[in-house]
Amino acid sequence: MTFERLHLTGPDGRPYVLGERIEVFDGSALIGRVQSVTPSPGGDEVRIENFVSTDSADFRAKALPKLVLAEVVTFIAERYPSIHAIGIELSRDIEGFEGRQTALASARAEILQSIGTANVQVSPKPHAGQAGHFAVTGVWHYDEASLAALSAVLQAQRAAYRERQKEEAARATPPRPTLRQLLRKDR
């Protein structure tokens, strides 16, 4: 799977094999991964969990989590037609959300619902040393309504990603001087 600079692979950039972790790259930079991809014994379902970003602050700042999730679900759905359901768990605690866990849980639940995930639930997931740790879970079913929701989110997030890339490029490139400015400097 590739979308301009964003692409998904198996570990260490190898071609993906179902059951291995999924690595997500922006160009050559690893921006995140899905650590756990567990196919069901029957081969018609898969569970994805343990989403990890390599640089949480940069990852959040670029607003990529929704795009990455949509890309991963699309990647699995397109590449493995025998899979009819994708169980998703978003449970990684992100530093800096102390006291705002409810807002983070709500945002994660909204992300899952927006791509057509059913039975979205927020539940405590005790974790040593992290008060208020929780898991947001749901199941994305391969059906017409879920495909339409996923496609809509994917297109919107890709358009937003393109726009962010243009804005970053514009900020990185100093404006060209006008002819008038150049002539003034010579005097």
Side-chain angles (χ1 to χ4, degrees), residues 9 11 16-24 32-40 45-52 69 72-73 76 86-92 125:
T9 70
Y16 186 70
V17 175
L18 189 63
E20 294 182 333
R21 73 177 184 249
I22 298 172
E23 296 189 342
V24 183
R33 65 173 50 109
V34 179
Q35 291 283 91
S36 180
V37 179
T38 310
S40 68
E45 297 180 7
V46 69
R47 180 170 179 85
I48 56 176
E49 57 189 318
N50 297 322
F51 285 73
V52 178
L69 177 63
V72 166
V73 171
I76 292 170
I86 301 172
I88 304 168
E89 179 179 303
L90 304 176
S91 64
R92 185 161 190 269
K125 186 173 183 178

